[in-house]
């Protein structure tokens, strides 16, 4: 869920830089402060599970000590006392995890985002819960995975198709992994979102991956293809991927013949 990964320091530096230049990416409602403390402690616990040699969380009543050796952090704080942290608890933990954080409240039959920190370079601050998220139970940890194609670094859906065959390789597969979590102290629902992307050219270097993706986009029902915004390009994407597989197979045959 929050595994730091080998590029942790680089990712955290990028997130901090993004937050520094765009204040709209952090939104806090005063009544959500207890939930912000709740999600901070929850994520600290998950980090210690993922990286026990580099992360430590010590508790003694309301007194806590948080150690993140990968970022050089050693912080004592009192639970609920914002003056004992260098910044708001949501901002403090949001710069130490590779996920975007939204704290949700159910109102009028839907989700309302009452606090959020969105530092991903892919996604805008605007949020749409989507029908699948509304159907998830709120009393247990749930996970959903969504994917689409993007033709720019911001992760937006494909608006303009490549004009050359080679151009399809620059198209990106964007994958969003969301975890919906009931926080232990307040019961607030937290949505943690992590986004990754890879170009089709990168995917095509592994023929098994290219074949699997081509099968997936061809088999999508029309309604789902439309909801993902891939209905206009999926035939071309599948054809390009299969052409790369064919080229790789031909290169292997030629190599064997030459040997």
């Amino acid at each position: 869920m929050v595994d730091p990964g080998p590029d942790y320091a680089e990712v955290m530096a990028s997130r901090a830089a993004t937050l520094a230049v765009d204040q709209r990416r952090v939104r806090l409602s005063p009544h959500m402060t207890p939930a912000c403390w709740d999600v901070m402690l929850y994520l600290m616990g998950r980090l210690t599970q993922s990286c026990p040699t580099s992360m430590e969380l010590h508790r003694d009543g309301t007194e806590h000590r948080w150690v993140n050796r990968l970022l050089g952090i050693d912080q004592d704080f009192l639970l609920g006392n914002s003056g004992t942290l260098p910044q708001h608890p949501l901002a403090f933990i949001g710069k130490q995890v590779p996920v975007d954080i939204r704290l949700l409240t159910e109102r009028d039959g839907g989700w309302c985002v009452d606090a959020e920190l969105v530092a991903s370079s892919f996604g805008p601050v605007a949020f749409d819960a989507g029908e699948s998220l509304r159907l998830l139970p709120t009393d247990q940890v749930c996970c959903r995975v969504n994917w689409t194609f993007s033709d720019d670094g911001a992760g937006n859906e494909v608006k303009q198709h490549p004009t050359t065959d080679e151009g399809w390789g620059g198209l990106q597969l964007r994958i969003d992994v969301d975890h919906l979590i009931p926080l232990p102290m307040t019961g607030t629902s937290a949505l943690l979102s992590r986004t990754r992307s890879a170009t089709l050219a990168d995917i095509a270097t592994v023929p098994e991956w290219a074949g699997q993706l081509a099968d997936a986009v061809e088999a999508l029902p029309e309604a789902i293809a439309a909801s993902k915004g891939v209905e206009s390009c999926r035939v071309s994407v599948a054809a390009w991927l299969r052409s790369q597989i064919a080229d790789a197979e031909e290169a292997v045959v030629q190599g064997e013949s030459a040997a």
Side-chain angles (χ1 to χ4, degrees):
M1 188 184 301
V2 292
D3 180 64
D7 57 349
Y8 177 67
E10 179 184 350
V11 171
M12 292 304 103
S14 175
R15 287 174 63 83
T18 298
L19 294 171
V21 299
D22 190 351
Q23 303 300 317
R24 299 172 303 166
R25 290 176 172 266
V26 180
R27 191 162 59 86
L28 302 167
S29 298
H31 73 279
M32 295 298 289
T33 297
C36 292
W37 283 99
D38 200 355
V39 75
M40 185 186 79
L41 290 181
Y42 178 86
L43 290 172
M44 286 177 174
R46 297 297 303 219
L47 284 170
T48 60
Q49 292 176 22
S50 294
C51 240
T53 60
S54 301
M55 315 280 190
E56 297 177 13
L57 177 61
H58 303 279
R59 310 186 191 202
D60 184 5
T62 61
E63 297 181 3
H64 292 68
R65 180 189 175 202
W66 169 244
V67 179
N68 180 339
R69 294 186 179 88
L70 298 179
L71 296 182
I73 296 173
D74 190 336
Q75 180 70 45
D76 294 313
F77 62 91
L78 295 176
L79 181 63
N81 186 339
S82 297
T84 59
L85 284 177
Q87 54 198 142
H88 192 280
L90 184 62
F92 183 67
I93 194 61
K95 295 178 182 178
Q96 299 181 60
V97 289
V99 295
D100 292 333
I101 306 167
R102 293 180 174 92
L103 301 180
L104 311 177
T105 304
E106 287 187 88
R107 287 198 298 271
D108 301 324
W111 290 107
C112 295
V113 181
D114 284 345
E116 64 182 343
L117 184 146
V118 182
S120 169
S121 61
F122 295 96
V125 177
F127 171 70
D128 179 7
E131 190 62 33
S132 63
L133 184 59
R134 296 188 184 97
L135 296 175
L136 294 177
T138 58
D139 60 348
Q140 58 186 282
V141 176
C142 299
C143 178
R144 72 166 185 176
V145 179
N146 188 34
W147 63 268
T148 188
F149 293 122
S150 168
D151 58 7
D152 61 27
N156 296 314
E157 294 178 357
V158 178
K159 301 299 183 184
Q160 184 174 354
H161 293 179
T163 56
T164 64
D165 185 61
E166 292 78 9
W168 287 102
L171 212 64
Q172 297 180 27
L173 172 67
R174 167 181 168 163
I175 297 180
D176 301 302
V177 181
D178 295 331
H179 285 89
L180 185 65
I181 299 158
L183 296 175
M185 293 191 300
T186 62
T188 303
S189 294
L191 180 68
L192 308 180
S193 302
R194 189 169 190 172
T195 301
R196 294 285 193 179
S197 70
T199 65
L200 296 189
D202 287 338
I203 294 170
T205 62
V206 183
E208 293 83 359
W209 294 354
Q212 184 183 43
L213 183 56
D215 290 343
V217 297
E218 287 177 335
L220 279 179
E222 290 297 329
I224 295 179
S227 69
K228 290 181 177 295
V230 303
E231 72 276 19
S232 65
C233 68
R234 63 173 173 156
V235 172
S236 297
V237 165
W240 186 86
L241 289 169
R242 296 201 188 285
S243 72
Q244 299 305 297
I245 296 171
D247 289 347
E249 291 174 345
E250 181 179 353
V252 169
V253 172
Q254 291 178 350
E256 292 175 348
S257 299

